[in-house]
């Protein structure tokens, strides 16, 4: 027969170790989710800036073309 320690205490230790690993993984997941949210927010901000810059560049190009045409006509 196996001893009490072999049958019960080792299983309890194993369960405790698993619980500690679970807590560690939960913390890692929480950190990764936070990073993911920050990256998503940053991506949205950068995309919006790019969109605005693209619009501004198009406006500047159109004005430059208009001025060029005016100068050409003169």
């Amino acid at each position: 027969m196996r001893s009490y320690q072999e049958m019960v205490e080792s299983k309890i230790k194993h369960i405790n170790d698993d619980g500690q690993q679970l807590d560690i993984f939960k913390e890692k997941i929480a950190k990764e989710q936070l990073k993911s949210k920050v990256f998503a927010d940053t991506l949205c901000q950068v995309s919006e800036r790019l969109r605005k810059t693209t619009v501004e560049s198009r406006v500047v190009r159109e004005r430059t073309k208009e001025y060029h045409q005016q100068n050409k006509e003169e």
Side-chain angles (χ1 to χ4, degrees):
M1 256 199 234
R2 292 183 180 173
S3 71
Y4 174 80
Q5 184 176 10
E6 286 177 333
M7 296 299 291
V8 177
E9 288 180 0
S10 65
K11 298 235 186 245
I12 291 173
K13 183 179 182 311
H14 184 67
I15 290 171
N16 287 337
D17 291 344
D18 288 348
Q20 288 176 347
Q21 281 187 333
L22 180 62
D23 290 341
I24 291 169
F25 287 132
K26 283 181 179 179
E27 288 177 20
K28 285 184 179 182
I29 288 171
K31 287 178 183 178
E32 289 300 320
Q33 286 175 337
L34 181 61
K35 281 183 188 178
S36 178
K37 184 177 180 345
V38 169
F39 288 147
D41 292 344
T42 302
L43 178 61
C44 287
Q45 291 174 358
V46 169
S47 295
E48 182 63 23
R49 286 182 193 164
L50 177 61
R51 188 190 65 76
K52 287 179 180 179
T53 302
T54 303
V55 168
E56 290 173 359
S57 294
R58 188 176 65 236
V59 169
V60 167
R61 273 188 263 125
E62 289 172 3
R63 285 182 183 165
T64 303
K65 283 181 182 179
E66 288 175 11
Y67 290 139
H68 181 70
Q69 284 295 333
Q70 287 176 357
N71 287 337
K72 208 174 180 185
E73 290 171 4
E74 292 176 359

